[in-house]
Amino acid sequence: MTHLLRGKQAGIQGDFSAGLASDLFAIEEITRYGVNSQISQIAYDPVQSLLAVGTNDTKFGHGQIYVFGQKRVSVTFQIPGKASVKFLRFCSDRIICLDSKNNLSMYSLESKKLINEYSPPAAVTAVETDSSLDYALIGTASGEVIAYDMDREAMAPFRLPHFWKEQNPRAMATPIVSLQLHPRDVGTLLIGYSEGAVIYSFKQNKATKFLHYRLTPGAPGGDLDPAVWKMDRSPKLTQALWHPTGTFVLTGHEDSSLVFWDPIQARIVMARTLQDTKIDQPGAVTSIQSGQSGKGPMVVKEPLFKIAWCANKDPDDTGILVAGGAPTDLPTRGLTFFELGRTPVYATSSWQIISDHFENPKRQRVLPTPPNASVVNFCLIPRTSPHFAGAQDPIAALALLSSGELITLSFPSGLPITPANQLHVSLTFVHPFVNHVALSSMERTRWLGMTEKRAHGPPILSGGAEGPSPLRRFETRSVVQTSHVDGTVRLWDCGHGDEVENSSLLQADIARAVGRFDHVEVAQTSLAGGSGELACGLRSGEVIVFRWGHNRHAGQEPPSPRPNNPNGLTDVSERRDPSLSDGLFPFTLLDQHDGHVTALKLSDVGFLAAGFEGGSLAIVDLRGPAVIYNSSVAEFAKQEKKGAFRRNSQQGSPKPDWPTTLEFSVMTLDGDDYSSICLHVGTNQGHVATFRILPDPSGRYTVQFAGSINLESPVIHLAPLNADNGSHAYAYQSTVSQLRTGLRVPGFLLAVSHLSVRIFKPATNKGAHRTWDDALCDRAAVVRYEGATGGHALVGLFGTGQARAFSIPGLRDLGAAPISHLLDPRRLADACIASNGDILGWTGPSELTLLTVWGVGGAGTTTGRAPAPAPPLSSASSLSSPALPREPPITTATTKSEDRLLNPDLLIPPRPTISNMQWIAGTQYITPTDMDVLIGGPDRPPSRRMVAQARADEQQRRAAGRVGASPSSAAAGARAEAVGQQDEGYWAYMQRQINERTEKLGIMGDSMDKLETNSAGWADDVGKFVNRQKKNLVMGGKLLFPIHFRKL
């Protein structure tokens, strides 16, 4: 009977939760956004235009692989077991992953499933794949190289021994640190051991060259300690890579040395660091010597995290991108780019010219990154080609910082690229980190019209296709506002598990609007769904309002910002982003100078209310704009009436009080005979105050204090409701427009605090209340059930890890369900509850999950079908007691993605081949088909790709043969072909393909013999011609140009 009395005490006759049964309350997970753990690896496929990121196994989540495409295309692959991603790469229609448990996993982009998992016999330290091969070359800690047949899903017979023992027989087991196939000659492999590099030839089946970087006494190398220079040493190798044409080899070492090699002579061309050159020569002067002269503290260098030898469209036009290797005392440590320019022709250039090419690059620049963070990994975004180690004609670089954040830079200029509408919305959670989240409702038609136009380069992600989704469930869209640590706010539609019609992101630049680029941390945001305006409150005390508009001066840098007006409003409409044509632009700024913003609310009818840590409350009429109220909450917060002894025993001044929640409404207050715009203010001391906002004869509005009550604990939510039907009594534009016609809205206010909830008629009516049984409520909201029965309920998230529903106005229990396995119980206060029953909460530092309280149960859901009363709650809370132990997250809760990743119509371009000069020099050309024999052995059946290609070629040949045939002969041929195919079994077909392939290899061998004979004769002719040219040059004769090569 208690719930009946509460309704009578609040003056409400009906039951707004009559149609809600306890079995309707069921927590179900809809989708997730963000990444569950720290990112460890990044990979990009330029053919399919997909991006993959792998994560580490941490306390927040297990290792996973996220594959992102255009718009909202996203597929998640689970790593078998609890492991971190160590290596990640796209290879044809697969994703190859090596985890921290030494397992090699392959995932299919077509079926979106795990194809196979393989555990190599030794610890894996390097992996190399190529889109033209069906093999993964695996380098081990013992120095051996083994091959895994990805097509047959088994080990290949190919195995390479520890070659470095040929160079140093006394060497112990030297691990392999890098593997890379020759960019033009697939038959040559560069093996990087920790002691040096080896060039292996598949054709000769032996190691042809050994590259050993050794420093004699007196050579500084990359070490900064002069005491080390006196020793004979060999810095350990960390990475070895080819020049894009294979002309040179670059090795990186643990002392930050970059060593360029001539692979033909196994000779050092140039040894340098990011600052110094010729460091392999004794007596070389370094920048540390000339700058410090041996004085001051010892400077430490970063290790070389990653090196990429980039190429333009012309592979001879190259540059080197380096992560790491810079002194730690530099203020800016980003990516270092050496623009080398066009590579000298090896056959005609002197040794000095080649050495100068690497010693004096055309340009050296630093691609800046945020301070106090180093780039530990990066992924280049090539325009089209997956070859040349994924570094040909890159348009951008996606860098992974030591803090776990991502940053996208244009290449080679190094300008920052906003991830909005370039990357998937989940990647924006770490680009950079999110520090505040808010959720607002907006009309569908207005949201569809809010599509910003921003100048940007070519799209990074354009692959994949979104799967079918249910049609929109609600006419209102749930718009998320994420505030990032760099002072940007991004808005996007999180959906309801239905079709997202406008999947684009909006971005507001807070730093530019404030006029500075430091101390721009956003504390509060508020979005007006009716007007599309955005308000942002900073921890430094400023409040900025953004409005949708058009930039007539797009592309032009705005003038320097003028100083902000303290304790007043400042017009900031000129501080517009020049790259934005249509979007959210700054309108006005309020600088209160009273602590950080603790509460913020922007109404649909042009009023803004902001509360500050110092206790002040400001109300702004945006029609002017003008501040129409500015006072302290201490003026209306009444002290509690207690006994004289208790009152006299209090010492010191009253506790500080500041606003914690704000809400605008339209209702008839207690004692009034008219309805008006009202502002309800809740404070951290439990006071709930109400203000009237009335029109003034001067044309402006005035604010009148109506009264207040006390809930004795911090107020976390205020919900104005209509006393006739229980719907929200917010200050909608349609409602306010009818006030002049005498509209009266009977209303009441539902106020929720940490310890209790109260339903009353503002401003001073006590109404009815209920305590939370000594439990603390972290977040609450009034939600509506959109089913046939309808109804409203109060949903609260409690610090014990439970979600509970209560009826209105009786406040009886409707259901309870645990949510600690879906949400982080320590961050329940940061969760958002929408009016349709959706809950947006944190599962980890960079991942949000979207839940609904009106679920259907099943896998990945938590139902609360137990009838009331709810189980007793303890007093544990995320605000007043130690955090609860976090249960391991469940990954089965996420629904399997229906998005498609693979587009079979996009073909991988042919692999680059050796140049004419390399072929003339005697380099034997090996095709990927030949590699199948060299690695897989002569008994290996043709791969699935070869069989499919052979069938396609055969069908094309037969179709071409029918073009000139008569209809009768064509029909007869078709019948004969059908009979032949029916008679020929699978193994007969395979045998026929092998025989044809053997014949072709024999023909190729004969052709190579003839080619060798012709090449010898041609080489003699070239030698005679060169001698004649030298003679003419010495004797003053006429040079003969050009050289006409004889066709072989």
Side-chain angles (χ1 to χ4, degrees):
M1 299 297 295
T2 306
H3 60 278
L4 298 177
L5 295 177
R6 292 194 183 103
K8 298 296 183 181
Q9 293 173 355
I12 303 172
Q13 303 299 326
D15 184 4
F16 305 132
S17 305
L20 300 180
S22 59
D23 58 349
L24 293 177
F25 186 73
I27 304 296
E28 180 181 0
E29 183 170 4
I30 300 176
T31 186
R32 294 194 178 192
Y33 294 99
V35 291
N36 69 327
S37 186
Q38 185 183 25
I39 295 179
S40 59
Q41 294 292 326
I42 314 172
Y44 180 74
D45 184 0
V47 177
Q48 297 292 335
S49 189
L50 299 174
L51 181 69
V53 296
T55 63
N56 286 324
D57 180 43
T58 63
K59 64 179 180 180
F60 301 106
H62 304 323
Q64 293 182 347
I65 300 174
Y66 297 87
V67 182
F68 300 112
Q70 62 176 335
K71 297 181 179 180
R72 298 293 176 87
V73 175
S74 173
V75 174
T76 303
F77 296 101
Q78 305 295 333
I79 301 296
K82 298 180 180 180
S84 303
V85 178
K86 292 176 55 180
F87 173 86
L88 191 65
R89 182 175 294 181
F90 287 94
C91 183
S92 185
D93 59 346
R94 310 179 187 92
I95 295 181
I96 312 301
C97 170
L98 175 68
D99 59 39
S100 57
K101 291 189 175 180
N102 206 49
N103 295 325
L104 190 68
S105 305
M106 287 165 291
Y107 302 86
S108 172
L109 294 178
E110 182 177 9
S111 64
K112 299 174 294 185
K113 295 180 180 179
L114 175 66
I115 302 176
N116 191 29
E117 181 185 2
Y118 169 68
S119 297
V124 179
T125 55
V127 180
E128 172 69 354
T129 62
D130 192 275
S131 57
S132 63
L133 300 179
D134 292 326
Y135 304 93
L137 301 178
I138 302 173
T140 64
S142 61
E144 297 182 341
V145 178
I146 57 179
Y148 181 78
D149 193 336
M150 296 183 291
D151 181 78
R152 297 300 166 183
E153 301 176 4
M155 280 293 299
F158 179 81
R159 180 183 293 266
L160 296 180
H162 188 185
F163 286 118
W164 197 254
K165 288 187 176 180
E166 299 180 12
Q167 176 73 10
N168 184 9
R170 298 181 178 180
M172 302 296 292
T174 306
I176 295 177
V177 296
S178 69
L179 291 172
Q180 188 176 8
L181 289 168
H182 194 287
R184 288 184 177 272
D185 182 13
V186 73
T188 304
L189 177 66
L190 179 63
I191 307 174
Y193 296 91
S194 60
E195 300 294 335
V198 172
I199 299 177
Y200 170 78
S201 173
F202 285 90
K203 292 89 67 175
Q204 304 178 31
N205 192 23
K206 68 175 184 179
T208 58
K209 300 294 180 182
F210 294 86
L211 311 178
H212 185 204
Y213 179 48
R214 183 177 178 181
L215 295 173
T216 58
D223 293 300
L224 299 181
D225 187 3
V228 183
W229 301 351
K230 302 177 182 179
M231 298 184 295
D232 190 349
R233 61 199 187 280
S234 296
K236 291 186 178 298
L237 185 143
T238 59
Q239 187 179 352
L241 60 159
W242 289 100
H243 182 278
T245 61
T247 310
F248 303 98
V249 171
L250 171 61
T251 58
H253 300 263
E254 64 177 6
D255 65 343
S256 302
S257 297
L258 300 173
V259 185
F260 298 88
W261 298 83
D262 177 4
I264 298 178
Q265 305 180 27
R267 177 182 173 186
I268 295 179
V269 178
M270 173 58 61
R272 61 168 302 157
T273 61
L274 300 184
Q275 300 84 15
D276 307 313
T277 59
K278 300 180 180 180
I279 57 175
D280 60 327
Q281 300 178 9
V285 179
T286 64
S287 59
I288 300 298
Q289 288 177 294
S290 58
Q292 292 186 349
S293 301
K295 299 180 180 180
M298 177 62 63
V299 180
V300 181
K301 281 186 179 181
E302 293 179 327
L304 292 174
F305 296 109
K306 187 175 181 179
I307 310 171
W309 205 325
C310 313
N312 210 332
K313 293 182 180 179
D314 181 5
D316 282 319
D317 187 5
T318 69
I320 299 175
L321 187 63
V322 182
T328 56
D329 61 344
L330 293 180
T332 302
R333 300 192 304 272
L335 292 170
T336 304
F337 180 64
F338 293 97
E339 186 178 348
L340 299 177
R342 189 165 184 82
T343 306
V345 180
Y346 179 82
T348 60
S349 300
S350 65
W351 190 263
Q352 185 62 39
I353 294 177
I354 297 176
S355 178
D356 291 342
H357 176 71
F358 299 112
E359 180 181 0
N360 302 308
K362 292 177 57 178
R363 190 179 293 105
Q364 179 177 346
R365 67 180 67 175
V366 175
L367 280 59
T369 57
N372 303 323
S374 303
V375 178
V376 297
N377 195 2
F378 64 84
C379 175
L380 292 173
I381 310 297
R383 195 178 300 270
T384 55
S385 174
H387 305 298
F388 298 102
Q392 185 185 24
D393 194 17
I395 60 175
L398 190 61
L400 176 63
L401 305 180
S402 56
S403 60
E405 297 171 294
L406 295 177
I407 182 172
T408 307
L409 303 173
S410 62
F411 190 87
S413 60
L415 299 177
I417 299 176
T418 174
N421 303 319
Q422 283 282 12
L423 301 179
H424 192 273
V425 64
S426 292
L427 289 179
T428 62
F429 282 62
V430 291
H431 200 298
F433 288 139
V434 176
N435 56 9
H436 181 265
V437 172
L439 185 64
S440 303
S441 298
M442 180 176 287
E443 291 294 330
R444 168 179 167 269
T445 54
R446 176 170 290 277
W447 175 249
L448 291 180
M450 297 180 67
T451 303
E452 72 174 20
K453 296 180 180 179
R454 185 184 299 271
H456 57 79
I460 295 177
L461 299 179
S462 59
E466 294 180 281
S469 300
L471 296 178
R472 58 182 184 274
R473 297 173 54 191
F474 307 105
E475 284 299 319
T476 58
R477 307 305 301 174
S478 296
V479 180
V480 182
Q481 306 117 58
T482 56
S483 306
H484 301 260
V485 297
D486 63 345
T488 57
V489 177
R490 300 185 179 111
L491 288 72
W492 46 278
D493 183 3
C494 66
H496 308 277
D498 55 359
E499 179 184 1
V500 178
E501 298 171 291
N502 183 8
S503 60
S504 61
L505 278 73
L506 308 180
Q507 179 169 302
D509 192 347
I510 307 299
R512 184 180 291 272
V514 178
R516 64 175 187 272
F517 293 93
D518 56 346
H519 302 95
V520 288
E521 183 179 356
V522 178
Q524 299 288 334
T525 60
S526 178
L527 177 66
S531 60
E533 296 174 327
L534 174 68
C536 301
L538 307 184
R539 290 197 173 273
S540 54
E542 296 94 345
V543 176
I544 308 101
V545 179
F546 291 82
R547 278 183 173 177
W548 187 266
H550 174 72
N551 188 4
R552 294 178 298 176
H553 304 286
Q556 302 178 10
E557 193 68 27
S560 300
R562 293 172 295 179
N564 299 331
N565 183 20
N567 301 313
L569 295 175
T570 304
D571 184 8
V572 293
S573 58
E574 294 182 353
R575 303 175 185 178
R576 299 191 169 197
D577 188 349
S579 64
L580 189 61
S581 300
D582 293 294
L584 290 171
F585 295 99
F587 170 63
T588 186
L589 180 145
L590 172 64
D591 193 356
Q592 187 73 1
H593 282 285
D594 195 24
H596 71 267
V597 180
T598 58
L600 189 65
K601 184 62 180 181
L602 182 60
S603 70
D604 292 344
V605 292
F607 294 103
L608 169 70
F612 300 87
E613 186 183 22
S616 61
L617 173 67
I619 303 177
V620 180
D621 183 1
L622 297 179
R623 294 165 184 80
V627 178
I628 59 177
Y629 182 85
N630 195 340
S631 183
S632 174
V633 297
E635 296 183 8
F636 63 79
K638 297 180 179 180
Q639 298 294 331
E640 301 179 15
K641 295 182 180 180
K642 300 182 180 179
F645 175 79
R646 183 76 176 270
R647 184 170 59 250
N648 294 335
S649 63
Q650 294 179 352
Q651 299 179 358
S653 60
K655 295 181 180 179
D657 200 9
W658 58 81
T660 56
T661 180
L662 304 168
E663 192 60 68
F664 288 94
S665 69
V666 173
M667 65 172 60
T668 302
L669 299 181
D670 189 19
D672 292 346
D673 58 354
Y674 61 91
S675 294
S676 61
I677 302 175
C678 302
L679 171 65
H680 309 283
V681 182
T683 70
N684 71 308
Q685 294 298 328
H687 299 286
V688 178
T690 302
F691 294 85
R692 298 185 188 91
I693 302 178
L694 303 174
D696 188 77
S698 62
R700 294 192 175 186
Y701 284 81
T702 60
V703 179
Q704 297 179 358
F705 173 67
S708 66
I709 65 170
N710 194 353
L711 299 185
E712 300 182 353
S713 62
V715 181
I716 61 174
H717 182 69
L718 296 174
L721 303 176
N722 192 312
D724 290 339
N725 52 27
S727 62
H728 287 94
Y730 294 138
Y732 298 114
Q733 294 177 351
S734 58
T735 307
V736 173
S737 64
Q738 299 180 45
L739 289 178
R740 64 181 62 185
T741 63
L743 175 68
R744 296 185 62 177
V745 179
F748 64 96
L749 189 65
L750 188 149
V752 185
S753 68
H754 285 312
L755 297 179
S756 63
V757 56
R758 183 176 295 274
I759 298 179
F760 65 99
K761 187 174 183 179
T764 58
N765 194 317
K766 294 295 183 181
H769 78 284
R770 174 182 174 174
T771 60
W772 299 130
D773 301 329
D774 297 331
L776 298 185
C777 180
D778 290 332
R779 181 64 66 180
V782 175
V783 303
R784 172 178 171 80
Y785 178 62
E786 300 290 343
T789 59
H792 295 79
L794 173 65
V795 175
L797 306 180
F798 292 83
T800 52
Q802 281 189 322
R804 299 177 64 184
F806 305 92
S807 65
I808 300 174
L811 300 178
R812 57 183 170 86
D813 292 282
L814 293 179
I819 57 173
S820 58
H821 62 296
L822 295 174
L823 299 178
D824 188 350
R826 296 164 297 186
R827 302 190 65 181
L828 291 181
D830 299 330
C832 305
I833 305 177
S835 59
N836 59 6
D838 290 350
I839 301 176
L840 189 68
W842 293 98
T843 64
S846 302
E847 185 181 41
L848 287 171
T849 181
L850 183 64
L851 312 174
T852 179
V853 300
W854 312 122
V856 295
T861 65
T862 302
T863 59
R865 302 183 184 276
L873 301 177
S874 65
S875 59
S877 172
S878 60
L879 296 179
S880 62
S881 61
L884 297 175
R886 176 82 186 279
E887 298 183 17
I890 58 174
T891 56
T892 57
T894 54
T895 306
K896 180 181 178 181
S897 175
E898 298 295 333
D899 299 336
R900 290 182 288 120
L901 297 177
L902 185 67
N903 184 358
D905 296 333
L906 298 176
L907 302 179
I908 301 175
R911 196 180 196 277
T913 60
I914 60 176
S915 63
N916 292 334
M917 295 303 298
Q918 289 174 318
W919 178 75
I920 292 172
T923 303
Q924 297 180 5
Y925 175 59
I926 299 297
T927 65
T929 305
D930 301 331
M931 294 291 290
D932 289 338
V933 178
L934 295 174
I935 298 178
D939 299 331
R940 178 184 184 268
S943 64
R944 299 182 182 93
R945 180 168 52 181
M946 294 174 58
V947 172
Q949 183 64 35
R951 285 180 176 175
D953 295 342
E954 184 67 17
Q955 292 176 1
Q956 185 178 4
R957 184 184 64 81
R958 292 177 179 177
R962 298 193 201 103
V963 174
S966 61
S968 58
S969 61
R975 288 193 297 270
E977 177 183 350
V979 173
Q981 289 182 351
Q982 292 176 359
D983 294 341
E984 184 182 34
Y986 175 76
W987 292 107
Y989 172 79
M990 297 291 290
Q991 185 64 34
R992 180 168 57 84
Q993 292 294 326
I994 294 175
N995 293 336
E996 292 179 359
R997 185 165 144 203
T998 304
E999 293 176 0
K1000 292 179 180 179
L1001 289 176
I1003 295 173
M1004 185 187 71
D1006 296 340
S1007 301
M1008 293 300 294
D1009 294 339
K1010 295 179 181 179
L1011 184 63
E1012 182 180 0
T1013 303
N1014 295 335
S1015 299
W1018 185 85
D1020 294 339
D1021 295 341
V1022 170
K1024 295 178 182 179
F1025 176 81
V1026 171
N1027 293 332
R1028 186 167 62 255
Q1029 289 287 80
K1030 292 180 179 179
K1031 181 178 179 181
N1032 293 337
L1033 181 63
V1034 174
M1035 303 300 295
K1038 182 178 179 181
L1039 296 179
L1040 303 178
F1041 288 104
I1043 302 176
H1044 298 280
F1045 295 100
R1046 184 176 61 183
K1047 186 176 181 181
L1048 297 178

